[in-house]
């Protein structure tokens, strides 16, 4: 725990006797909660990603909330390869991403490290890598920021027994974890590629939102980073040529209709995305200069993205645009 040195001290005890180590067994949970990182991501070859962030966070001590300071060291079973997630730069001992345990080795692909499940269908592998490369190049240029650390991308494949197609992604500090499952995963189709292109660009947008020395994504106002990632993704896939204008327009129209059905509210899970996107569309400011400004603002202030920040940055840019138009003649 984060205690004040010299003022507070603590002894971990069981029945009054201090001890220095303990073993905790964790039952695996393969569900995929909607609003939290999946605790486990399984690969078809027995590999597993474990989300370390769920072992970190706050604790209660004498009815007071304390930050827990975790120093995690990883050791696999014999024969198991272990890949540790990056340290939390912003907060020493703070939340970290997925640790990998399993038989596979990561491969270096350009500036990123990749670990792809051997069961990944070719169309999905190609789309993740190709879109990932092009969109990352676009974001780096548009947002004028190279990534602060090497990106580690994983693709894991779940059961093909359930009907339909499920494609999930999770972006954490320096990491992107994709998980695909369902009977419809096999077989190439343009519609499936379109969905995956959007998912990749969306998750990649989070990586840039998190690519700051301070501030970044907070726990509140989810529509900002989710709706923002939607808007950044649509811009990126169209500008970098991985999606057509028609495909982008059709998706935007569908999301706009979905948001109207939800009463223009960002209070529901779907509303965070659909109405979040609409809010950015309606700001009347270009998404690239807007998010460039937001990333600068979160870093300068050391505060997470907020509604007030969006309003301030948008207002400043409207003023700047008006001034430029005025002097341009
Ligand atoms: Zn997202």
């Amino acid at each position: 725990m984060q205690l004040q040195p010299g003022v507070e001290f603590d002894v971990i005890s069981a029945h009054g006797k201090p001890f220095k180590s303990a073993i905790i067994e964790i039952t695996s949970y393969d569900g995929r909660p909607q609003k939290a990182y999946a605790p486990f991501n399984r690969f078809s070859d027995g590999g597993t990603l474990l989300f370390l962030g769920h072992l970190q966070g706050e604790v209660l001590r004498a009815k007071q909330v304390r930050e827990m300071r975790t120093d995690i060291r990883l050791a696999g079973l014999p024969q198991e390869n272990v890949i540790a997630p990056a340290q939390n730069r912003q907060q020493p001992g703070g939340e970290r991403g997925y640790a990998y345990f399993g038989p596979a080795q990561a491969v270096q692909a350009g500036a990123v490290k990749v670990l792809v499940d051997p069961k990944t269908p070719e169309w999905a592998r190609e789309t993740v890598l190709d879109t990932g490369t092009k969109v990352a190049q676009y974001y780096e240029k548009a947002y004028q920021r190279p990534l602060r650390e090497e990106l580690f991308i994983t693709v894991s494949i779940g059961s093909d027994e359930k009907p339909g197609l499920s494609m999930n992604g999770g972006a954490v500090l320096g990491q992107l974890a994709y998980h695909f499952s369902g009977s419809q995963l096999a077989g190439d189709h343009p519609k499936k590629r379109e969905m995956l292109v959007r998912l990749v660009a969306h998750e990649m947008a989070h990586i840039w939102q998190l690519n700051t020395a301070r501030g970044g994504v907070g726990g509140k106002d989810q529509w900002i980073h989710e709706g923002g990632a939607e808007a950044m993704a649509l811009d990126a896939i169209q500008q970098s040529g991985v999606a057509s204008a028609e495909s982008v327009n059709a998706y935007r129209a569908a999301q706009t209709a979905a948001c109207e059905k939800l009463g223009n509210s960002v209070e529901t899970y779907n509303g965070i995305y659909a109405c979040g996107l609409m809010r950015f569309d309606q700001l009347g400011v270009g998404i690239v200069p807007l998010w460039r400004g937001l990333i600068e603002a979160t870093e300068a202030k050391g505060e997470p993205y907020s509604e007030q920040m969006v309003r301030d940055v948008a207002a400043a840019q409207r003023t700047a645009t008006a001034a430029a138009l005025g002097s341009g003649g």
Side-chain angles (χ1 to χ4, degrees):
M1 281 175 281
Q2 309 266 29
L3 301 175
Q4 279 176 268
V7 182
E8 300 167 293
F9 64 94
D10 209 354
V11 175
I12 304 175
S13 65
H15 307 295
K17 283 184 184 160
F19 62 93
K20 284 186 175 169
S21 69
I23 291 172
I24 301 167
E25 281 186 33
I26 300 168
T27 305
S28 66
Y29 172 76
D30 286 321
R32 306 198 67 83
Q34 255 192 346
K35 289 186 184 176
Y37 292 106
F40 293 89
N41 262 318
R42 306 287 188 184
F43 290 72
S44 67
D45 59 4
T48 293
L49 288 173
L50 170 66
F51 186 66
L52 298 186
H54 287 325
L55 306 175
Q56 303 180 265
E58 291 167 341
V59 285
L60 270 179
R61 177 186 181 261
K63 292 184 184 167
Q64 264 193 306
V65 176
R66 298 294 183 130
E67 272 300 312
M68 183 166 56
R69 188 160 178 170
T70 42
D71 177 15
I72 297 175
R73 269 160 273 190
L74 305 164
L77 297 169
Q79 316 292 325
E80 226 172 23
N81 181 32
V82 180
I83 303 172
Q87 292 288 347
N88 190 322
R89 272 180 280 103
Q90 294 196 7
Q91 232 186 311
E95 189 177 283
R96 292 171 68 187
Y98 285 98
Y100 173 79
F101 299 88
Q105 302 281 344
V107 180
Q108 199 72 33
V112 296
K113 203 161 67 177
V114 194
L115 203 154
V116 181
D117 196 307
K119 259 199 170 171
T120 309
E122 195 44 44
W123 72 266
R125 176 197 303 261
E126 205 178 284
T127 308
V128 166
L129 295 181
D130 181 63
T131 306
T133 308
K134 286 177 181 155
V135 165
Q137 277 167 0
Y138 177 78
Y139 285 148
E140 185 173 329
K141 233 173 121 184
Y143 297 102
Q144 297 169 358
R145 269 172 192 255
L147 289 185
R148 294 166 56 89
E149 57 204 322
E150 182 186 54
L151 189 58
F152 179 37
I153 298 177
T154 58
V155 180
S156 54
I157 303 296
S159 158
D160 57 3
E161 277 160 29
K162 276 196 192 140
L165 171 60
S166 156
M167 298 197 287
N168 296 290
V172 219
L173 286 160
Q175 270 188 332
L176 275 180
Y178 299 102
H179 186 79
F180 310 142
S181 64
S183 62
Q184 296 289 309
L185 183 59
D188 199 349
H189 193 281
K191 281 279 164 225
K192 293 199 283 189
R193 282 189 186 239
E194 265 180 40
M195 274 171 69
L196 187 49
V197 159
R198 281 195 304 267
L199 176 67
V200 169
H202 175 105
E203 297 305 329
M204 217 42 124
H206 286 318
I207 293 289
W208 259 266
Q209 291 171 343
L210 293 163
N211 188 32
T212 60
R214 303 194 304 160
V217 172
K220 281 199 308 186
D221 297 326
Q222 288 191 65
W223 70 268
I224 298 172
H225 57 268
E226 294 301 356
E230 288 287 276
M232 288 166 76
L234 293 184
D235 165 66
I237 58 178
Q238 193 174 336
Q239 297 300 325
S240 62
V242 285
S244 66
E246 296 80 68
S247 148
V248 167
N249 292 342
Y251 180 73
R252 182 168 257 127
Q255 290 297 84
T256 304
C259 170
E260 276 161 7
K261 242 185 191 166
L262 293 166
N264 294 300
S265 159
V266 291
E267 298 304 314
T268 63
Y269 181 73
N270 290 332
I272 289 167
Y273 294 78
C275 301
L277 171 62
M278 269 193 87
R279 286 192 180 187
F280 280 97
D281 285 347
Q282 289 166 350
L283 278 176
V285 180
I287 196 70
V288 169
L290 178 74
W291 268 94
R292 210 189 284 150
L294 284 172
I295 294 167
E296 275 163 23
T298 196
E299 194 164 67
K301 292 194 165 90
E303 291 166 15
Y305 302 114
S306 64
E307 212 160 316
Q308 188 60 47
M309 214 182 266
V310 174
R311 270 200 292 270
D312 291 348
V313 171
Q317 278 171 16
R318 277 191 289 264
T319 311
T321 309
L325 286 176
S327 64

